[in-house]
Amino acid sequence: MLFLPVLAIAIILYMCGQRILSLLIFFFFLFAGFQFVPETMFDTAFGFSKPLDFALFYVAILFVWGCFFYDNYIPRNKMTLLIAIYLSVILCLVLISKFVLGIGWGDIIRTSRYYFFVLSYYVLRRFSREEIEAVLKVLVFITAFQCLLFIAQAFTGHPLLTGAPKEESRQTIGIITRFYNLPKMIYFMLFYVVFSKPVRGILGYIIAAIMVISVFLTMHRSMSMVVIITLLLGTFLSMKNIKQFVKYIPYILIVFIPLAFVFAAQMSKKTISDLESVKNGDFVDTEDVELNDESSFLFRMAHFYERYQFAQEDKLYKYFGLGLMPEDSPYTSRKFDFNIGLENEKNGETVQLDTSDISWSLFVVRYGYVGTFVYMCIYFALVWHFFVRRKTDYSLPLMLYLLLIFGCSLTSDMLFNVYMLIFPMMLYDYTVRKEKADATDELIKIPENVS
């Protein structure tokens, strides 16, 4: 009950036009209390107990309010078209889950509620440039502070951010304890700090270095590789021409060669063994595959393949997913018996549906071919939107952010989580307006060059 008054204040502030603090509170809920507050403190007597639920209520209430009190609240543009297509697919999945699979309304709502974060676009597009810049700058410093805590916990072995694994599950390599609770905002803020430069001078470089160090301290091989690739891509695209890129190659090498050595050191026998096992198709027979702490990538591939193989046996499952039911529902225990999955701490059984290790298993389970195809079309429509406007403020960091999430889809669930699209949706209208303004400025300047 502690944070219900905070949610109410955030909503009232938005309605009264005091939107900077309102948006900061929204991001506080969206990103797990900035990983400073234990999740148990968000428990309420109203059926929701996660920080994300508070963020969803913020969006839902203000969306309904905005429909009544703003003109042109739902604009006729490409983003609205994309959202309409996505919600049409979700409605289809909901109806199939209820009337074909026989899943209860309560279970369907619990499972699908976070898909409706797409409506946050209509709430967030009302913010002005000044409000967006102010909020993002505050979030940069919050993320930097989170990164300092993350670095400290890696060297001390004591968790300082929420979401850390239990002590018996932590792995220590030399003087570094491996933690996975990387600040959730870092995936966008890293590119924002490097390419948009909201913090100028030496402090900006220090913040960027802190964020890069945090990423590598996770010892997450695929993420380290994707970060290197996206940063190099961003550096290339931010150059005005090839000659400028060539000029900066020595500086790029100075920065990235040490990172490449760190990455190579992380490519241990474990990685080579996993890749060899996947190449040989060792995950195909999921009943016989041997999995342990040293086969994380093979585990992910086996997890995906077992569910994919199950879905292929039924056309409904194949095209529309296995249904919108939660992990702990009677329907789940009655219908599924997968062998590959993490152990459920409550009952010691294999977790059947949920996973944070790979997005594609979740796409198979929840979306099927149809939903996955539509989601990917929408996702890469956003990537293309920001790519063609990459010279516009925010567009390049947003494009790289989306590519990073896609690049990590084999090792995380970020691609599946709709709330990870909040930054692109918040800044979408701004990139369109800025592009039009820049084009207008160019037209105005043309007569000055006419002799």
Side-chain angles (χ1 to χ4, degrees):
M1 301 296 287
L2 176 64
F3 288 103
L4 281 177
V6 179
L7 174 62
I9 290 170
I11 292 170
I12 293 170
L13 286 172
Y14 182 96
M15 293 176 175
C16 296
Q18 303 298 316
R19 292 179 179 161
I20 293 177
L21 181 55
S22 176
L23 187 56
L24 286 172
I25 295 173
F26 168 71
F27 279 113
F28 171 81
F29 290 132
L30 186 71
F31 293 110
F34 295 138
Q35 294 168 264
F36 300 142
V37 183
E39 191 171 285
T40 53
M41 294 185 67
F42 290 91
D43 289 343
T44 72
F46 299 99
F48 56 98
S49 59
K50 296 181 178 180
L52 271 180
D53 291 324
F54 286 81
L56 185 62
F57 267 81
Y58 177 96
V59 169
I61 292 170
L62 290 177
F63 173 76
V64 173
W65 182 80
C67 288
F68 287 100
F69 289 95
Y70 285 120
D71 295 328
N72 192 35
Y73 190 68
I74 301 179
R76 295 182 180 181
N77 60 13
K78 291 180 181 178
M79 178 61 84
T80 293
L81 176 62
L82 296 177
I83 291 173
I85 294 171
Y86 175 75
L87 290 179
S88 298
V89 172
I90 296 304
L91 177 61
C92 180
L93 297 180
V94 166
L95 294 176
I96 290 173
S97 295
K98 175 59 182 176
F99 297 108
V100 179
L101 301 178
I103 301 169
W105 283 119
D107 286 346
I108 291 172
I109 293 171
R110 281 179 60 198
T111 305
S112 63
R113 67 192 189 278
Y114 295 144
Y115 303 159
F116 293 93
F117 267 114
V118 292
L119 297 177
S120 62
Y121 164 68
Y122 301 106
V123 176
L124 301 178
R125 66 184 290 269
R126 313 298 306 189
F127 287 83
S128 67
R129 173 183 177 177
E130 292 73 20
E131 289 169 332
I132 289 173
E133 288 180 348
V135 168
L136 288 179
K137 183 163 285 191
V138 173
L139 294 180
V140 164
F141 286 103
I142 291 174
T143 307
F145 181 64
Q146 288 177 305
C147 288
L148 288 174
L149 294 180
F150 184 83
I151 293 170
Q153 72 181 14
F155 286 100
T156 63
H158 298 292
L160 300 173
L161 295 172
T162 60
K166 294 181 178 179
E167 188 172 357
E168 59 270 18
S169 303
R170 294 174 205 155
Q171 182 183 8
T172 301
I173 302 174
I175 61 172
I176 299 174
T177 301
R178 190 176 184 185
F179 284 89
Y180 301 96
N181 56 338
L182 194 65
K184 295 177 182 291
M185 293 186 291
I186 194 174
Y187 306 105
F188 171 69
M189 289 300 164
L190 173 60
F191 299 120
Y192 177 55
V193 168
V194 171
F195 296 107
S196 292
K197 296 180 174 60
V199 182
R200 299 286 178 173
I202 188 66
L203 182 58
Y205 291 107
I206 291 173
I207 290 175
I210 289 170
M211 291 182 179
V212 172
I213 291 169
S214 297
V215 170
F216 280 88
L217 282 177
T218 62
M219 300 184 183
H220 195 302
R221 299 180 302 280
S222 61
M223 182 179 293
S224 300
M225 180 177 66
V226 174
V227 166
I228 290 175
I229 292 172
T230 47
L231 283 174
L232 285 173
L233 175 63
T235 302
F236 175 75
L237 293 176
S238 64
M239 299 296 179
K240 294 180 180 179
N241 51 55
I242 298 297
K243 290 183 179 179
Q244 186 180 13
F245 180 75
V246 171
K247 177 182 176 181
Y248 281 91
I249 283 179
Y251 303 101
I252 294 171
L253 293 177
I254 290 172
V255 173
F256 284 102
I257 284 179
L259 297 180
F261 277 111
V262 173
F263 175 72
Q266 294 178 9
M267 290 291 289
S268 59
K269 292 181 180 179
K270 170 185 173 182
T271 306
I272 304 302
S273 174
D274 280 355
L275 293 174
E276 189 66 28
S277 297
V278 172
K279 178 183 176 183
N280 295 335
D282 290 355
F283 57 85
V284 172
D285 191 346
T286 55
E287 292 185 1
D288 296 333
V289 66
E290 295 183 4
L291 299 171
N292 51 54
D293 293 339
E294 296 300 315
S295 57
S296 57
F297 189 58
L298 180 59
F299 166 82
R300 292 180 174 97
M301 296 306 299
H303 189 281
F304 163 74
Y305 188 78
E306 184 179 24
R307 285 144 186 82
Y308 174 80
Q309 194 176 41
F310 179 87
Q312 299 310 295
E313 298 173 359
D314 186 293
K315 285 187 177 180
L316 183 67
Y317 289 161
K318 179 164 64 173
Y319 288 102
F320 297 100
L322 308 186
L324 299 176
M325 57 282 167
E327 180 68 39
D328 57 357
S329 72
Y331 183 94
T332 300
S333 15
R334 186 173 67 250
K335 294 287 289 187
F336 308 114
D337 187 24
F338 296 122
N339 298 311
I340 308 299
L342 297 178
E343 183 180 304
N344 190 321
E345 295 180 359
K346 295 180 180 178
N347 55 28
E349 297 178 356
T350 300
V351 175
Q352 297 294 298
L353 306 175
D354 297 336
T355 180
S356 59
D357 290 318
I358 178 170
S359 294
W360 299 101
S361 293
L362 296 171
F363 283 121
V364 168
V365 170
R366 303 303 186 189
Y367 287 167
Y369 284 168
V370 173
T372 302
F373 175 76
V374 169
Y375 187 88
M376 286 297 104
C377 287
I378 292 171
Y379 193 87
F380 281 100
L382 289 173
V383 173
W384 179 253
H385 170 87
F386 294 120
F387 171 73
V388 298
R389 294 164 178 80
R390 60 190 178 276
K391 300 301 183 183
T392 304
D393 295 347
Y394 305 122
S395 290
L396 181 59
L398 288 167
M399 185 201 77
L400 297 174
Y401 167 71
L402 291 170
L403 291 178
L404 171 70
I405 290 175
F406 183 80
C408 294
S409 62
L410 288 174
T411 54
S412 79
D413 63 346
M414 290 191 295
L415 181 63
F416 180 79
N417 291 328
V418 177
Y419 73 86
M420 295 300 291
L421 298 178
I422 291 294
F423 285 118
M425 288 188 291
M426 180 176 73
L427 296 166
Y428 177 89
D429 273 24
Y430 175 81
T431 60
V432 174
R433 290 195 300 267
K434 188 66 167 63
E435 182 190 38
K436 291 179 179 178
D438 290 345
T440 302
D441 289 344
E442 287 299 319
L443 288 173
I444 293 173
K445 292 177 183 177
I446 288 175
E448 298 176 4
N449 299 323
V450 177
S451 57

